[in-house]
Amino acid sequence: MLKNKSSKKFKTTLLKSILVCGIFISPFAFAKNPLVTQAKELQTGSEKVGIDHQKAIVLLQKAVDEGDAEAMYLLSQYYAENRKFAYLPENPAMEHDLLTKSAKLGHLDAIDEIISSSEIRDEAGQITSYPTILREFKPILQKEIKNTNIQAMPVMATIMELQPPSN
């Protein structure tokens, strides 16, 4: 009987631990900056907080002022031509500036987006510095891969695939 009680207590404690870990391992838990975490929650809404893009923009701008790469990337999406959120006027120059800054700080989604848009413009004959763009992000990605960031590997593979062979 005593073994059965301790076994149930252990299972209950284990289940509670798993539940607590599950709560903390959410998409919002990975943001390094609490402003970005709050902004993401305002963008998607939750049981506690409704969707409020205006407040999210304010929080993202504050995080951008602090130099947060993820905030730069998220804020750039509000200025994009094909944006999901039409709460700010379209501004391709601001979008490009924020994406570039974010990418140079190592934000992988920003790097991937710049590479994709550069590839499209290169195929349309609109860009001449495409190889330069690829070379610029290669060391950043190599550093991320060295730090065992597996999310950098597909982006690096794209660069390696697109980069013209050197003679």
Side-chain angles (χ1 to χ4, degrees):
M1 182 86 170
L2 186 61
K3 271 188 172 181
N4 194 15
K5 277 188 173 181
S6 65
S7 176
K8 284 184 180 179
K9 187 176 181 179
F10 174 75
K11 287 179 184 177
T12 305
T13 306
L14 179 65
L15 290 174
K16 284 181 184 176
S17 298
I18 291 171
L19 180 62
V20 169
C21 288
I23 290 170
F24 287 110
I25 301 175
S26 71
F28 305 122
F30 293 110
K32 295 174 185 165
N33 189 324
L35 293 171
V36 176
T37 303
Q38 291 173 353
K40 283 180 168 183
E41 190 173 14
L42 287 166
Q43 286 179 329
T44 59
S46 70
E47 291 178 14
K48 297 177 185 176
V49 179
I51 295 174
D52 189 340
H53 289 284
Q54 295 299 337
K55 286 182 183 177
I57 290 167
V58 171
L59 292 171
L60 289 172
Q61 187 58 56
K62 287 179 183 177
V64 165
D65 293 343
E66 293 174 4
D68 188 280
E70 185 175 12
M72 291 174 193
Y73 174 74
L74 293 172
L75 188 59
S76 76
Q77 301 307 298
Y78 283 99
Y79 291 108
E81 185 178 343
N82 58 349
R83 62 189 184 244
K84 297 180 225 176
F85 317 114
Y87 296 95
L88 293 174
E90 181 182 314
N91 189 338
M94 181 64 89
E95 176 200 11
H96 177 72
D97 183 49
L98 288 167
L99 270 177
T100 303
K101 287 177 181 177
S102 178
K104 287 181 179 179
L105 291 172
H107 193 273
L108 297 176
D109 289 333
I111 293 171
D112 193 37
E113 191 167 320
I114 289 172
I115 290 169
S116 297
S117 66
S118 298
E119 183 181 13
I120 291 167
R121 287 183 287 168
D122 184 51
E123 289 174 0
Q126 297 175 348
I127 191 169
T128 58
S129 63
Y130 185 57
T132 306
I133 291 169
L134 295 177
R135 280 193 303 273
E136 184 177 349
F137 295 122
K138 198 172 178 181
I140 295 168
L141 291 168
Q142 287 172 335
K143 179 182 171 191
E144 290 295 318
I145 290 170
K146 187 176 179 180
N147 292 335
T148 65
N149 185 345
I150 60 169
Q151 294 170 334
M153 291 178 189
V155 181
M156 178 60 97
T158 302
I159 284 181
M160 297 305 288
E161 181 181 298
L162 298 172
Q163 195 167 25
S166 56
N167 295 334

